[in-house]
Amino acid sequence: MSDFIWKKSGQGDGPGEAVMQFLAGEDVVLDRQLIGFDIRASQAHVNGLAQVGILDEDEARQLVDGLDGIAAALQAGDLVLDETFEDCHSALEAWLTERLGPLLGGKVHTGRSRNDQVAVALRLYMKDRLDALSALCVDTASVLLARARDEGHLPMPGYTHLQRAMPSSAGLWLAGHAEAFIDNAQLAALTRDWLDASPLGTASGFGVNLPLARDAVAEALGFGRLVVNPQYAQNARGKVELQALGALGAATADLRRLAWDLSLFTTSEFDFVRLPDGWCTGSSIMPNKRNPDVVELLRAAHGTVAGARTELESVLGLPSGYQRDLQATKPPLLRAFEAGLQALALLPELLAAFEWNPDAMQAAISPEMFATDLSVDMAREGMPFRDAYREVGSRLGQVKAEDAVQSLENRVSPGACGALELDRLAARLDHLAKK
Ligand code: ARG
């Protein structure tokens, strides 16, 4: 164990091994995902200190270079963040001190606390992950839209209550999921902008007696604004994480529904979809099986995200200011983003790869499914719709099957099978892709 960053002379040894394991065990491992952001923020902090004359230019340059050296050593595996440190923040100071000596290494923490250090690293992490989320949602929607253009005309049965309802099309199904992921991309981008504020320079939650260049430091880190109030910089911890998981959860919930559809459509009973071999597994005992395990685990990914939100929310019943409980908001956040993005990353390729079975889709459109179109046709001729509904309903067995393709073309209400309005969706998608 390295010396605690907070160890003072005349003090005893501090926590023993079991207590240390409890305080920092998983945390220090999770910090491996944050340390890169901590390094960037530490460099900006050091430059900010030079700007207001707390460090001279040469000191700042050596500290920034030292931090670059640590980043490279971590990358090469020459330095490892492990439980010999309390957290990544202590490790950085220890490594800098080792490399640059205590006179210089000991200056990096001037005017900051681990409290604003972790908060800024987490905001940078969330911005990065939300950008990745938005990009994956854009990719997913692009594949769905492209297929909607190419195969949109294919008739398939539409269901409500999982009962046959009206003739529908592959295009309506594809574009419906595309629009969901366009919304999800936008939600990720909006959430990113909402949390795009720098808490760095608020120290332990009370500010410091130095004229810190907070705005310049925030700008150097690419933040759009400051978290102005130091108390709120701490009180916002967990609240911000919850919204980030909200954006992630919107996408994984739609992924769950899409995966549900695919798992249903691949059954022999439906037989609308075939998944290529690369997306299927077998059974250890039943030689006949071909299982859509990937799709099922994609569906399950939302469980991890939803569970993480509940866990995080449960930690947040806290008074104002920093409490160590806030450390417990980190595991659910990191775990959920890891699982959620890993699942979403598979989606564009899967959606490009599955194959429709147009014959089975067409065969599942039974004549009575044209009853609604017929009733609306009669209403268009002037009959009150309720009368038309009753008349068609009284002779359902005689409703003739129409040409499904023609019926879909006639469904011209904007957004419907005959007027999918893919251009409107593409325009939103383009706008988001350019952001
Ligand atoms: N691992 C800690 C956290 O996530 C870092 C901040 C520690 N601050 C402190 N005052 N003990 O909250």
Side-chain angles (χ1 to χ4, degrees):
M1 180 77 214
S2 67
D3 264 350
F4 295 109
I5 196 172
W6 39 262
K7 189 166 182 219
K8 294 163 282 281
S9 60
Q11 201 181 26
D13 283 344
E17 210 174 304
V19 174
M20 202 47 220
Q21 184 62 30
F22 177 69
L23 280 169
E26 186 191 9
D27 195 59
V28 85
V29 176
L30 294 174
D31 273 0
R32 289 177 192 166
Q33 293 184 61
L34 295 183
I35 193 165
F37 298 109
D38 195 357
I39 289 173
R40 270 179 54 205
S42 297
Q43 290 174 321
H45 173 68
V46 159
N47 285 329
L49 289 177
Q51 215 172 315
V52 295
I54 306 295
L55 296 175
D56 65 39
E57 290 300 326
D58 185 54
E59 289 174 322
R61 193 187 42 73
Q62 286 191 62
L63 285 166
V64 168
D65 290 351
L67 287 160
D68 274 340
I70 290 169
L74 281 165
Q75 185 77 23
D78 297 336
L79 285 178
V80 180
L81 182 59
D82 59 22
E83 58 284 354
T84 53
F85 299 98
E86 192 182 358
D87 51 34
C88 70
H89 322 299
S90 323
L92 276 192
E93 187 171 326
W95 286 328
L96 267 182
T97 302
E98 207 173 277
R99 287 168 174 232
L100 305 176
L103 285 183
L104 188 51
K107 288 191 174 183
V108 68
H109 211 58
T110 312
R112 78 171 179 189
S113 155
R114 282 181 295 167
N115 295 357
D116 59 337
Q117 207 178 342
V118 63
V120 72
L122 282 164
R123 293 234 188 194
L124 289 170
Y125 166 86
M126 284 184 273
K127 283 174 62 179
D128 179 73
R129 299 292 74 198
L130 287 168
D131 281 342
L133 171 62
S134 184
L136 286 174
C137 292
V138 165
D139 288 351
T140 299
S142 304
V143 174
L144 287 161
L145 267 190
R147 288 196 74 158
R149 279 193 205 290
D150 293 347
E151 303 159 313
H153 57 282
L154 291 177
M156 74 188 274
Y159 299 87
T160 70
H161 313 264
L162 280 180
Q163 308 291 317
R164 286 181 181 176
M166 289 175 66
S168 187
S169 68
L172 190 113
W173 185 89
L174 290 160
H177 286 297
E179 189 166 358
F181 279 93
I182 292 169
D183 267 0
N184 295 333
Q186 187 174 9
L187 182 61
L190 288 169
T191 306
R192 177 205 187 277
D193 290 350
W194 177 76
L195 59 78
D196 186 19
S198 172
L200 190 55
T202 56
S204 51
F206 311 98
V208 287
N209 43 336
L210 293 171
L212 294 179
R214 288 197 63 205
D215 281 303
V217 171
E219 203 185 318
L221 285 170
F223 281 106
R225 64 179 198 280
L226 293 183
V227 183
V228 176
N229 184 282
Q231 173 178 276
Y232 183 58
Q234 291 309 313
N235 289 359
R237 261 192 88 184
K239 170 183 175 180
V240 168
E241 282 79 346
L242 209 49
Q243 292 307 316
L245 288 189
L248 177 63
T252 53
D254 284 328
L255 165 63
R256 174 173 66 177
R257 192 191 306 268
L258 195 159
W260 233 127
D261 288 357
L262 287 178
S263 76
L264 207 56
F265 293 167
T266 55
T267 59
S268 313
E269 284 68 19
F270 276 80
D271 196 26
F272 295 167
V273 160
R274 187 186 148 82
L275 295 172
D277 285 345
W279 298 91
C280 293
T281 60
S283 154
S284 61
I285 178 171
M286 299 172 282
N288 54 315
K289 289 308 297 287
R290 197 170 178 278
N291 295 327
D293 292 34
V294 183
V295 165
E296 290 164 337
L297 283 173
L298 291 179
R299 185 168 61 196
H302 183 66
T304 306
V305 178
R309 282 166 72 181
T310 305
E311 181 181 343
L312 213 161
E313 211 275 330
S314 314
V315 173
L316 294 181
L318 297 170
S320 282
Y322 179 79
Q323 329 290 334
R324 189 71 179 255
D325 311 51
L326 290 170
Q327 177 171 298
T329 62
K330 250 174 5 179
L333 177 76
L334 300 186
R335 197 187 319 120
F337 266 101
E338 191 165 2
L341 294 185
Q342 188 191 26
L344 288 163
L346 289 177
L347 200 50
E349 208 182 319
L350 168 68
L351 291 173
F354 81 81
E355 294 151 26
W356 294 111
N357 180 358
D359 292 342
M361 286 148 68
Q362 172 74 58
I365 299 176
S366 38
E368 80 284 354
M369 295 177 81
F370 292 90
T372 306
D373 282 349
L374 185 57
S375 310
V376 174
D377 275 343
M378 289 158 70
R380 189 188 8 221
E381 300 301 315
M383 188 184 279
F385 175 77
R386 190 53 56 214
D387 290 347
Y389 172 96
R390 289 203 186 98
E391 188 180 321
V392 174
S394 69
R395 53 178 178 84
L396 273 181
Q398 293 147 38
V399 173
K400 283 202 315 305
E402 305 284 332
D403 172 18
V405 173
Q406 186 58 54
S407 149
L408 296 178
E409 275 173 21
N410 293 343
R411 198 90 55 70
V412 291
S413 57
C417 297
L420 285 173
E421 308 234 352
L422 300 180
D423 289 346
R424 288 208 214 189
L425 300 181
R428 274 186 75 200
L429 189 58
D430 265 6
H431 180 71
L432 286 161
K434 285 193 190 101
K435 271 196 94 168

